Amino acid sequence: MKRSGPLFTLLAGLLLALFMLSLNVTSGTRSTSTGSESSGDVVQASPTPTASPPSGKPSPSPSPSPSKTTVPNADYAGRTDDDSSAIAVTLRDGKAVAYFCDGKDQESWLKGDVKSDGSMRLTGQNGNVLTGELKGKRIRGTVDMGQRKYGFTADKAVKPSGLYRATATVRGAEVDGGWIVLPSGQQVGILNRAGKPSPAPRIDPETGAVTVDGQRLTAKPVTP
């Protein structure tokens, strides 16, 4: 009995050691498993897209927009081919205004755009149409007055040559006058009094001053 006591104590200690060893092994396995799972969560990521290899062809550069030629601002004046009437055209910033006048009772104001090549189609009241083309220092074209077409040539004008107009109320009547001052100094114009046309009185080309029925008016250069 005295010898069996130490033996039981030794066996008990051995069993306790084996039990503790098994606990350590189990805990280590769980920790390792958990760490592996956590590491798996971190490692998993979206695949990085690979860049497409260059095609070897350079990207085409944008083609430059075509430059637009601007028709220069200027005044033109001349006569019809049959020398019966006068014509004046004023160009400003791609716009045009024209005046056709026979100095008696036939006239027309026309306006419109001028294309970059110098061509133009101007329209007025009653369906009147001026078609022309600027070449160098001259406009060549036609004026369609409905019952008749007039060919014309208008050369570049230097002030005081050009186109003038005056509007006012004189003695209770609406007055509207148009004048073409030709390079030769000759003037062709019509003055409308209450819608009735008649030859226009002469203006001072330097100042535009004109007297209508005793009242002094000022005719000013016309622009689009």
Side-chain angles (χ1 to χ4, degrees):
M1 295 299 292
K2 293 180 181 179
R3 293 180 179 179
S4 61
L7 182 58
F8 282 114
T9 301
L10 180 60
L11 290 173
L14 182 58
L15 292 174
L16 180 60
L18 291 173
F19 177 73
M20 295 300 293
L21 180 61
S22 64
L23 288 177
N24 290 336
V25 172
T26 304
S27 301
T29 302
R30 290 180 178 176
S31 299
T32 302
S33 176
T34 304
S36 298
E37 292 175 359
S38 300
S39 299
D41 292 340
V42 174
V43 171
Q44 292 177 357
S46 301
T48 303
T50 57
S52 301
S55 62
K57 297 181 180 179
S59 300
S61 57
S63 57
S65 57
S67 58
K68 184 177 180 180
T69 303
T70 303
V71 177
N73 297 338
D75 301 322
Y76 300 84
R79 299 193 66 89
T80 57
D81 295 345
D82 62 1
D83 203 34
S84 66
S85 305
I87 185 79
V89 184
T90 300
L91 308 183
R92 295 291 187 275
D93 302 325
K95 302 288 185 179
V97 59
Y99 182 53
F100 170 89
C101 173
D102 67 357
K104 300 175 183 177
D105 57 8
Q106 189 177 30
E107 66 175 351
S108 180
W109 291 95
L110 311 103
K111 60 183 180 179
D113 297 328
V114 182
K115 296 182 179 179
S116 59
D117 62 358
S119 61
M120 64 193 76
R121 185 180 187 275
L122 315 182
T123 58
Q125 295 182 348
N126 303 321
N128 301 332
V129 178
L130 180 151
T131 56
E133 184 175 6
L134 170 64
K135 288 187 176 181
K137 298 181 178 181
R138 174 175 294 179
I139 296 176
R140 176 67 185 166
T142 61
V143 178
D144 186 350
M145 293 295 291
Q147 296 180 352
R148 183 178 174 185
K149 287 186 178 181
Y150 298 82
F152 72 89
T153 300
D155 293 321
K156 189 173 182 179
V158 179
K159 289 189 179 302
S161 300
L163 179 58
Y164 297 84
R165 190 173 191 176
T167 58
T169 301
V170 178
R171 296 183 178 181
E174 296 294 328
V175 173
D176 184 3
W179 289 264
I180 298 172
V181 180
L182 297 169
S184 62
Q186 181 185 5
Q187 297 184 15
V188 182
I190 287 180
L191 185 70
N192 283 279
R193 295 178 177 86
K196 296 181 179 180
S198 62
R202 185 177 178 86
I203 65 172
D204 181 345
E206 297 295 337
T207 63
V210 59
T211 301
V212 177
D213 297 339
Q215 183 171 327
R216 188 179 181 87
L217 305 178
T218 300
K220 298 181 180 180
V222 178
T223 57

